[in-house]
Amino acid sequence: MQWPSAPTPHGERVIGTLRREALDHLLIRNETRARRVLDEYARYHNGHRPRQARGRLSPLAERRPAPVTGLSTTRLLRSRVLGGLLSEYGYVV
């Protein structure tokens, strides 16, 4: 098997994003913990994190959520991801 001579820019960008957003802020002592952190980050990244190219939708979103009206009667809910390192926000009606 012959390896490519240089890493791809996409691979470097993914690794850099993982390092900056998750791994640089956590103490990971073993492979099991590393896999758990990377799995949770992947679920967040693909299921909840919005993208500009998709009209502020996540990669796994099938449709846009219903618009929120009457903001004075709704509450903002914060869900913590990776032990509070990342946060997701949504409205509770």
Side-chain angles (χ1 to χ4, degrees), residues 21-23 26 33 36-42 44 80-87:
E21 292 188 8
L23 302 177
L26 299 171
R33 176 67 176 150
R36 196 175 309 143
V37 166
L38 293 175
D39 286 344
E40 188 170 347
Y41 181 80
Y44 163 75
R80 295 180 179 184
V81 180
L82 288 175
L85 183 62
L86 303 171
S87 296

Side-chain angles (χ1 to χ4, degrees), residues 1 9 13-14 22 26-27 30 34 37-38 46 50 52-53 56 58 61 65 73 86 90 92:
M1 177 178 205
R13 185 171 182 181
V14 167
L26 299 171
L27 178 61
N30 57 34
V37 166
L38 293 175
N46 292 325
Q52 286 182 338
R56 303 299 296 163
S58 67
T73 61
L86 303 171
V92 178

Side-chain angles (χ1 to χ4, degrees), residues 55-58 61-68:
R56 303 299 296 163
L57 293 176
S58 67
E62 294 179 9
R63 59 186 171 93
R64 186 172 298 282
V68 177

Side-chain angles (χ1 to χ4, degrees), residues 17-83:
T17 299
L18 283 170
R19 267 196 48 239
R20 283 187 303 276
E21 292 188 8
L23 302 177
D24 282 353
H25 304 283
L26 299 171
L27 178 61
I28 298 176
R29 296 183 295 194
N30 57 34
E31 183 179 348
T32 303
R33 176 67 176 150
R35 288 183 185 276
R36 196 175 309 143
V37 166
L38 293 175
D39 286 344
E40 188 170 347
Y41 181 80
R43 277 194 304 275
Y44 163 75
H45 189 75
N46 292 325
H48 299 283
R49 187 174 181 200
R51 305 293 194 284
Q52 286 182 338
R54 296 212 51 216
R56 303 299 296 163
L57 293 176
S58 67
L60 298 179
E62 294 179 9
R63 59 186 171 93
R64 186 172 298 282
V68 177
T69 57
L71 291 178
S72 62
T73 61
T74 60
R75 293 183 323 151
L76 185 63
L77 176 67
R78 175 183 174 199
S79 301
R80 295 180 179 184
V81 180
L82 288 175

